[in-house]
Amino acid sequence: MRWLGARREHSVFHTLGILWLGLVLGLNFVSAIIKFQVPDLPRQAAFALGKHSFSVTNRIELVLALLLVIALVVRRPRGITRPTFIASGIVLSILAFQTGWFMQVLIDRIDIIVAGGTPPPSSVHVIYVAIELLKVTALLWLGLFGGYTAASK
């Protein structure tokens, strides 16, 4: 378990992982649920608010992703533990998928609802939650255990 104990000096992956995890849990899970529990907030307004908050969250995630890529490049893959490299790859791949395609699918559905319509049945939200849970797991790992190999110190 040497690789678990060699990271105190190099905490950029810990910091990014925990910061990003807090952002995702707070905005994508907690606030998403809370806004639909406000009795005086019309459903269409809750969806419009969600669309805006997810858009802002995505922009913040892109900045965190850039910082993560910089950290990976600066330390080069050979100085980073394999699990850290894999967790980083999972997070970055998910964000790329969400930003490049998946968020637009969700936004299109929200636009239909905000306009007063009803989108066709879809499992897109279930897929979104599953993808977010995978991202949360990778971020949790990165935040708790991410780091460099002992040899790269």
Side-chain angles (χ1 to χ4, degrees), residues 1-112:
M1 285 227 185
R2 173 81 175 139
W3 62 273
L4 286 177
R7 273 179 242 36
R8 292 268 183 224
E9 298 172 25
H10 309 286
S11 63
V12 68
F13 292 103
H14 297 276
T15 303
L16 285 172
I18 294 299
L19 181 65
W20 198 336
L21 177 65
L23 175 79
V24 169
L25 290 176
L27 293 176
N28 291 359
F29 285 102
V30 176
S31 75
I33 294 168
I34 289 173
K35 72 178 143 265
F36 289 102
Q37 294 178 349
V38 177
D40 297 336
L41 185 64
R43 183 172 183 253
Q44 291 169 320
F47 275 102
L49 177 62
K51 176 182 172 181
H52 182 71
S53 67
F54 277 101
S55 175
V56 170
T57 302
N58 184 256
R59 287 186 203 125
I60 296 169
E61 284 190 281
L62 289 172
V63 170
L64 292 170
L66 177 62
L67 294 174
L68 181 57
V69 168
I70 290 169
L72 290 167
V73 169
V74 166
R75 288 305 297 181
R76 293 178 301 269
R78 68 178 175 270
I80 301 167
T81 63
R82 182 179 307 257
T84 297
F85 195 72
I86 291 169
S88 298
I90 290 169
V91 170
L92 293 171
S93 297
I94 289 172
L95 184 62
F97 171 70
Q98 288 175 323
T99 303
W101 179 75
F102 202 70
M103 292 300 286
Q104 190 58 51
V105 172
L106 293 171
I107 288 170
D108 291 346
R109 292 180 62 78
I110 290 170
D111 288 343
I112 292 170

Side-chain angles (χ1 to χ4, degrees), residues 21 24 29 86-87 89-91 93-94 98 127-142:
L21 177 65
V24 169
F29 285 102
I86 291 169
I90 290 169
V91 170
S93 297
I94 289 172
Q98 288 175 323
I127 295 168
Y128 178 80
V129 169
I131 291 170
E132 279 295 285
L133 288 173
L134 178 60
K135 184 166 67 174
V136 162
T137 302
L139 287 169
L140 181 62
W141 194 97
L142 201 58

